[in-house]
Amino acid sequence: MPLKIKKPMPYQRIKPQDDCMREECGVFGIYRADSGVEPAEATYYGLFALQHRGQESAGIAVAKNGQIEYHKDMGLVSEVFKNGLEALCGAQAAIGHVRYSTTGDSHIANAQPLVISSKKGQIALAHNGNLINAKELREELENSGAIFQTTIDTEVIASLIAKNRNDGIIEAIKKTVSLLKGSYALVIMTPEEVIGVRDPKGIRPIALGKIDNSFVFASESCAFDTIGAEFIRDLRPGEIIVIDKKGLKSYQGMGETNTALCIFEFVYFARPDSDIDGISVHKARERAGARLAITNPVNADIVAAVPDSAMPAAMGYAEQSCIPYKKALAKNRYVGRTFIQPAQGKREIGVNVKLNPLKRNVHGKRIILVDDSIVRGTTSKRIVEMLKLAGAREVHMQISSPPIKFPCFFGIDTPSHDQLIGSKNSVEEIRKLIGADSLHYLSIEDLLKTVEGAACNFCVGCFNGEYPEDVSNLLKCGKKNSLDK
Ligand code: AMP
């Protein structure tokens, strides 16, 4: 069955009801400069490489013969495009998006790229990040007659760009970003060009690459490797880059000196084979493990990781401590990230389905078990139980980041205070709750040492409650995104 390609729909009103926005997403974009690359294919494979950033919906929009067409749906990239890409091929440019929303209902209307038509023409937009003033901006737009068809803050950006387009797309983007507060890595496409934008504080990553003579944007550099593109550089905070038939043009927008790249990209979110702002994610994780071994030495027989994200940290710990690295847990490779389950009961079953102890490796052993983070405590508690049932003598948890005490308002799905085990319990209380023989975390100072030399400063708001923007309004009403109902 061929793909059902959509032309942009006329606006329809959808109640901004139940979908709480938890935008942890991946974006990709390419403008074809020569015949060597097929934009739709490059975007498809780019999104595949970024699948870890979003597993709920996927979409590709292409600029073809002066028109924007798209296909998007709920599901993984492989599911959404299971009928092939043929109908999207032959385009001049393409952008793509993978979305990860982990709580509340999610529906197709909120999948991206968002494609809208205005009197100045069409725009497609893919967004990773979270606006904290979307509600105010949306209200102003609605008061002046704008109509919204989704509940995502991305549509507020699209609407502002459309509204300000009289002086051209770049001026419209500049005006729009001057109004936005929060985090955004954006890839925007018109029938003529593709534009990458990074928020002024550089909270979310986005990089520029090149394949043959064609420029590409991606949330992470691993996507360039997948399509055979070379990494050129990260977009600077506040930078706007246009790629079109004339090549590349950069506009330094409202970049700020007090930058705040999200440290959680290094802790958990990004792929280890990506470099962000000059730092290898894998190396940062290895260093975090090594620092844990220096600051929290424990006598044990083996060092093991909670797969996959903690493996580099466990290796770093093992190397530093000279305790052998062994596999203690087998991971079912067909299971995604446990967080994908919105209900706690399902989340617990999720851990069982995902991980199983290697009994022969753990029986009678004192284990140092390294994980990258404890959020609700579900994973650690279940894993300690599993390992003990499998005969482990002692389980010493070592966490390669500090306790998560505060929610994130800038695009990572850390839940609200009441669900964060670290917000209401001391380390000793958490240890008891998860049943470990000992529990150690990395300090904020040590975590920052693992990313020393980066081109940006860092946001560590989930660990210390100090955010790059004023979020007091959201904190008061317990919302993550100003559009949350
Ligand atoms: P929890 O079971 O709630 O304590 O979650 C901790 C586990 O989830 C760890 O093994 C992390 O690797 C993983 N994790 C941490 N942060 C996130 C996130 N924002 N989204 C999905 N998984 C996460």
Side-chain angles (χ1 to χ4, degrees), residues 24 100 264 268 309 339 371-379 412-413:
E24 299 178 342
Y100 185 81
F264 217 72
Y268 168 79
S309 42
F339 263 57
D371 202 355
D372 55 82
S373 54
I374 299 183
V375 184
R376 296 172 177 86
T378 322
T379 309
I412 295 286
D413 181 45

Side-chain angles (χ1 to χ4, degrees), residues 70-86:
Y70 65 95
H71 177 74
K72 60 184 179 182
D73 212 336
M74 306 307 286
L76 300 172
V77 178
S78 56
E79 293 161 354
V80 172
F81 295 98
K82 64 177 182 294
N83 295 322
L85 290 170
E86 225 171 287

Side-chain angles (χ1 to χ4, degrees), residues 177-188:
V177 299
S178 72
L179 300 170
L180 305 180
K181 284 202 174 112
S183 63
Y184 48 93
L186 295 169
V187 179
I188 300 163

